Amino acid sequence: MTSYTASGAGKWRPVAAIRASLLLHAAAVVAVAIVPMHWPWALALVAGNHLFLFGAVFWPRARILGPNLNRLPPAAARRNEVCLTFDDGPDPDVTRRVLDLLDRHHARASFFCIGAKAMAFPEIVKEIARRGHSIENHSQRHSWVFACFGMSRLRREVEEAQQALAAISGQPPSFFRAPVGLRSPLLDPVLARCGLRYVSWTRRGLDGISSDPALVLRRLTRDLAAGDLLLLHDSGRMRTRHGEPVVLAVLPALLERLAAAGLRSVPLPAACGGSAA
């Protein structure tokens, strides 16, 4: 595997909630050092702060823990662009069929790939890029407890995936989405180090847990508008009662709805001006 350098890496700029948390921790330490008997109050404040940050983890479209792209920029909306994003691939049974459907409708998308899966199926990743879609970072192993990891393990998960995807596709990802959409309060410094921008969604079909294509389609198209960021999965985990991957049952109708509304699906780098900054 070739080495990877985060050429787009930038300085971490903590948001207000994180700055306040850091100041509160420092103040608690100082207060206890000056008046040791006040330790219960200091402990209660720190515990309350941790509870607040823990609650923010379960608000995936919020910006409490850091910048969060949940809609495309206004310029993209003015161009009648949307972005279809696919998580949890590549999948040897599903991803190429998704690519065929996108080609048929002249649509381009962004694929948030799991690093370990990309290493197992590198030719599929190369084909995604070859067909004009972008390859983005969805962690190395897609752990369901990703948001609970400490800083060093977060770094390994993000950086290993970044290295693998860059080596396979020839282009380092510009965007990151957390597994299950749950974002750690410690994640932003890691993303800054890798030059990655955090992405959630405008609307998601929940096709990763729902086997009803009509319901998934309804979630994705209710109030559909230019600038929307749509989330699906090309993992093939959920299937219809006839055994078809839900994403393949939903995607043709979704693409037809986009065309009828005059909306064009483009990859995230194109919608955002080719930059993760």
Side-chain angles (χ1 to χ4, degrees), residues 57-101:
V57 168
F58 297 94
W59 193 358
R61 299 184 63 243
R63 295 184 173 92
I64 294 172
L65 300 177
N68 187 348
L69 185 68
N70 56 28
R71 281 190 61 78
L72 298 181
R78 288 194 294 272
R79 296 191 296 265
N80 285 329
E81 293 174 351
V82 297
C83 184
L84 292 175
T85 66
F86 297 89
D87 283 9
D88 296 1
D91 182 279
D93 177 50
V94 177
T95 302
R96 285 193 173 99
R97 294 158 73 186
V98 167
L99 293 173
D100 289 342
L101 287 169

Side-chain angles (χ1 to χ4, degrees), residues 17-18 49-66 68 143-149 154 178-187 198 200-201 204:
I18 300 299
N49 173 252
H50 283 209
L51 186 61
F52 169 78
L53 294 178
F54 179 73
V57 168
F58 297 94
W59 193 358
R61 299 184 63 243
R63 295 184 173 92
I64 294 172
L65 300 177
N68 187 348
S143 171
W144 288 80
V145 293
F146 175 86
C148 300
F149 288 166
L154 283 173
V180 203
L182 301 183
R183 175 186 194 163
S184 167
L186 304 176
L187 181 61
Y198 191 82
S200 56
W201 56 83
R204 56 178 172 173

